[in-house]
Amino acid sequence: METSARNTFWGTISSVRPGAVNDEIELTMPSGTKLVASITKASTQRLGLVEGKEACALVKASMVILMNDADQYILSTRNQFCGTVKSVTPGAVNGEVVLDLGTDGEMTSIITMGSINKLGLAAGSKVTAIVKATNVIMAVKK
């Protein structure tokens, strides 16, 4: 799949929970890690999302929030990925932080340099990537 989204995760739909307006789609990656998307009912139908179907979850790097003390909080965000900073590429305003998620691959976040400095992010730092379900885009092969 060719896309500008930096974060692409393939897996199998493990749950479809219908709602009045949006549906909650759970994607299970080969490692067993689950990722949740909240998409419109129309999108669920158009993509043919049903349990057992192969699908892809896309997350823009600018939608990935990083937290270095997530273990001290209970968060409403279901998509939480613990990882290790692989690299930090600083920019004038924003920087790119690439996390190693182990068997789930990598996740990239674009955050401000102020946040990078405040969190003390550097290669080897342990952090949690947080992604709201409403910021996950689902895709399937034709």
Side-chain angles (χ1 to χ4, degrees):
M1 170 181 284
E2 294 180 15
T3 174
S4 64
R6 298 291 306 273
N7 303 300
T8 305
F9 301 99
W10 284 94
T12 303
I13 302 297
S14 50
S15 175
V16 176
R17 289 188 278 288
V21 177
N22 288 344
D23 292 340
E24 186 177 272
I25 310 299
E26 184 179 78
L27 179 85
T28 301
M29 295 182 259
S31 68
T33 299
K34 297 182 184 306
L35 189 146
V36 178
S38 177
I39 64 173
T40 64
K41 294 182 79 54
S43 291
T44 300
Q45 293 169 357
R46 185 172 50 81
L47 297 173
L49 297 179
V50 295
E51 287 184 27
K53 183 167 187 164
E54 182 181 11
C56 178
L58 303 166
V59 180
K60 288 182 52 113
S62 59
M63 296 296 165
V64 178
I65 298 168
L66 299 181
M67 200 172 173
N68 64 3
D69 60 353
D71 60 331
Q72 298 176 33
Y73 296 91
I74 298 171
L75 303 170
S76 64
T77 309
R78 286 164 291 178
N79 296 315
Q80 299 178 32
F81 304 92
C82 296
T84 303
V85 174
K86 183 176 177 180
S87 64
V88 176
T89 304
V93 176
N94 292 329
E96 175 189 82
V97 181
V98 178
L99 303 181
D100 178 358
L101 300 179
T103 57
D104 292 324
E106 294 180 350
M107 183 172 284
T108 301
S109 177
I110 301 294
I111 60 174
T112 65
M113 288 305 301
S115 291
I116 288 172
N117 294 329
K118 178 182 166 188
L119 295 172
L121 298 179
S125 299
K126 300 290 184 191
V127 295
T128 301
I130 302 165
V131 180
K132 289 182 57 69
T134 54
N135 290 331
V136 178
I137 299 167
M138 297 302 299
V140 296
K141 292 182 181 177
K142 286 186 176 183

